[in-house]
Amino acid sequence: MSETRIERDSMGELQVPAQALYGAQTQRAVENFPVSGQRMPVQFIRALLLAKAAAAKANIKLEQISAAQGEAIVQAVEQLLAEDFIQHFPVDVYQTGSGTSSNMNANEVIATLASRVLGEAVNANDHVNCGQSSNDIIPTSIHVSAALAVREQLLPALQHLAQAIEAKAGQVHHHIKTGRTHLMDAMPVRLSQVLGGWAAQVKGAQAHIESTLPALQALAQGGTAVGTGINAHPEFAAGFARELSTLTGVEFATGANLFALIGSQDTAVALSGQLKTAAVALMKIANDLRWMNSGPLAGLGEIELQALQPGSSIMPGKVNPVIPEATAMVAAQVIGNDATVAVAGQSGNFELNVMLPVIARNLLESIELLANTSRLLADKAISSFTVNDAKLKEALSRNPILVTALNPIIGYLKAAEIAKTAYKQGRPIIEVALEHTDLSRDQLQTLLDPEKLTAGGL
């Protein structure tokens, strides 16, 4: 057995791994919650550590702890952030609903390191947790981690994807393909118009996600246990927000109503909903790519995605649309994460939401998944596919739905008759129209020119 030491908390003594930086309360959580083996996300722990440093700085100025104690706490946080800190945070995601175990994990680890820096005891509760409660520091860390992850990871990735789509649209503008509604042949569209629709979806998702940032940057810190601010200096909340803003470079502020920010997670639910919208957009784009790439002989075969790996362990030469498939799975996971966040958001029982850790986990996983897959989709699918122009032209030449352009001249019923005949006989629409109308070949070629039929839209 590994060596242990004895640690004490308000419930008594227990054994803790000898080299662990954490103490008794963390060890109790490790023993109490062997649920998933999943630790809290790195981004969340980073935000929690930054919050502890900001609290220490604010408490020094408010003379709630000594300058030496506060500076030792800040140095401890800096040391953790400079290394692989997650090893010191073993608490399972599925823990106490307030996240108290994760808060005390951080308090104990920081207290151990700060005590070493200072050369005397720094207390996890009295000093590191001064002016705080798990009930405000954990909701605060959810907001901070999500705001930073959205800014640093997701928004740049979505912008990269939108730019890649727009660049590709410019390259393929001259290609015209058969449009499809209900998966059935429809009027022609430019390939650039298809991609323009995708880009608009991505930009829309980006804008909706960005719109949640002001609410994410409003923090619960200062409300302490139930929102009243018990045991926190009256100026602590404002001082904390200023210090955190300096540390992160993002403008955080005290929320307008701390009771709402502790008792509910409405902002997290709103952000998760916007992440789901982004996932739905990526699913649509991925599926369009898969359909257009299908074949190459028995499918649509309109485009050819970059070949990235063998597609079958038994069928030689088979290549699959692996990036769109991975994107679709990410979208499914994000949609599922949103369902969990929605249920968890309903667990605001009186003055505290009690599903905070799983909200943090799902939000941050969704952000990371969407950011990573957006870049892959941009670089390994959108930017690199090639167009099978011969296949596009072949399908267009046999598309009876082009007869729609004749509706104003010959009427819907006559046009339908021509389309059905062309379908049945497998003949070009112009040849059938010549037999059933008084229009000349030149007139029909002008009226049914696919390039002219795509002039509408952007």
Side-chain angles (χ1 to χ4, degrees):
M1 294 181 64
S2 60
E3 295 183 0
T4 61
R5 68 179 193 270
I6 299 297
E7 287 285 346
R8 298 168 182 81
D9 61 10
S10 61
M11 294 185 70
E13 295 183 347
L14 78 165
Q15 293 184 332
V16 174
Q19 301 304 314
L21 297 182
Y22 54 77
Q25 292 203 46
T26 302
Q27 184 61 33
R28 291 190 192 281
V30 169
E31 295 175 5
N32 286 337
F33 308 113
V35 180
S36 69
Q38 299 177 52
R39 303 182 181 207
M40 292 297 290
V42 171
Q43 303 99 315
F44 174 83
I45 300 299
R46 173 193 172 206
L48 180 56
L49 293 174
L50 289 169
K52 293 297 177 181
K57 287 174 175 285
N59 280 322
I60 291 172
K61 292 179 179 178
L62 296 171
E63 299 182 347
Q64 300 301 292
I65 58 177
S66 72
Q69 291 167 338
E71 288 164 5
I73 290 169
V74 171
Q75 286 185 46
V77 169
E78 291 173 347
Q79 179 181 333
L80 287 166
L81 293 175
E83 62 181 47
D84 181 20
F85 58 81
I86 199 64
Q87 62 182 304
H88 305 301
F89 297 87
V91 180
D92 202 279
V93 168
Y94 301 97
Q95 55 173 286
T96 175
S98 62
T100 298
S101 296
S102 286
N103 182 37
M104 285 309 303
N105 186 177
N107 290 336
E108 290 176 343
V109 169
I110 293 169
T112 297
L113 293 176
S115 297
R116 294 176 183 176
V117 169
L118 189 58
E120 61 183 68
V122 174
N123 187 272
N125 291 87
D126 298 334
H127 303 138
V128 183
N129 201 59
C130 179
Q132 306 149 58
S133 164
S134 300
N135 298 355
D136 62 355
I137 197 77
I138 298 300
T140 290
S141 297
I142 291 174
H143 275 218
V144 173
S145 59
L148 294 178
V150 164
R151 287 178 174 276
E152 295 170 359
Q153 295 176 262
L154 184 52
L155 292 179
L158 290 174
Q159 183 176 6
H160 177 70
L161 175 57
Q163 289 173 341
I165 295 172
E166 289 176 332
K168 191 68 172 184
Q171 297 169 15
V172 301
H173 177 71
H174 60 288
H175 294 291
I176 300 172
K177 67 185 292 290
T178 299
R180 293 180 182 85
T181 58
H182 303 268
L183 296 181
M184 305 299 287
D185 297 345
M187 293 299 289
V189 292
R190 287 188 179 273
L191 196 49
S192 61
Q193 292 171 325
V194 174
L195 270 67
W198 297 350
Q201 281 188 276
V202 174
K203 287 182 171 181
Q206 183 180 352
H208 291 315
I209 291 167
E210 197 165 5
S211 73
T212 66
L213 287 174
L216 278 177
Q217 290 163 216
L219 305 179
Q221 203 61 51
T224 65
V226 293
T228 60
I230 185 71
N231 289 351
H233 190 285
E235 298 176 23
F236 174 73
F240 171 88
R242 285 194 297 271
E243 297 294 347
L244 186 64
S245 299
T246 299
L247 285 172
T248 61
V250 176
E251 193 65 31
F252 290 102
T254 306
N257 190 301
L258 302 184
F259 295 95
L261 289 170
I262 294 174
S264 75
Q265 279 292 302
D266 292 349
T267 299
V269 172
L271 172 60
S272 183
Q274 300 300 356
L275 298 176
K276 178 177 69 174
T277 301
V280 169
L282 294 189
M283 179 78 88
K284 185 265 194 294
I285 295 168
N287 283 335
D288 281 358
L289 286 168
R290 292 163 72 190
W291 276 107
M292 290 194 296
N293 179 75
S294 61
L297 300 179
L300 298 180
E302 295 177 340
I303 65 170
E304 184 176 344
L305 291 168
Q306 178 184 356
L308 295 172
Q309 62 186 63
S312 174
S313 61
I314 191 172
M315 293 177 281
K318 191 171 187 291
V319 178
N320 297 330
V322 293
I323 297 300
E325 288 174 351
T327 299
M329 286 190 285
V330 163
Q333 183 63 55
V334 172
I335 292 167
N337 283 351
D338 176 65
T340 298
V341 171
V343 172
Q346 299 174 51
S347 296
N349 307 131
F350 299 108
E351 278 65 58
L352 180 67
N353 181 285
V354 290
M355 289 197 184
L356 298 176
V358 78
I359 289 174
R361 179 220 173 272
N362 282 23
L363 268 185
L364 292 169
E365 181 183 69
S366 292
I367 291 169
E368 183 174 19
L369 288 174
L370 289 170
N372 290 343
T373 200
S374 291
R375 291 190 179 278
L376 288 175
L377 191 64
D379 298 339
K380 294 190 174 185
I382 301 292
S383 297
S384 57
F385 76 73
T386 57
V387 180
N388 187 346
D389 194 56
K391 195 70 174 282
L392 298 185
K393 289 177 178 176
E394 178 189 357
L396 273 176
S397 69
R398 296 185 291 106
N399 183 6
I401 300 301
L402 295 177
V403 78
T404 301
L406 302 182
N407 283 0
I409 301 171
I410 64 175
Y412 180 93
L413 291 178
K414 187 68 172 178
E417 179 185 345
I418 293 171
K420 290 177 182 178
T421 301
Y423 270 129
K424 185 176 181 179
Q425 298 178 359
R427 298 168 59 199
I429 194 69
I430 287 182
E431 300 300 327
V432 178
L434 277 171
E435 297 173 359
H436 290 78
T437 71
D438 295 329
L439 297 170
S440 67
R441 180 177 292 274
D442 287 344
Q443 288 175 309
L444 287 170
Q445 287 177 335
T446 299
L447 291 167
L448 300 176
D449 180 1
E451 184 170 344
K452 293 181 179 178
L453 295 177
T454 64
L458 300 175

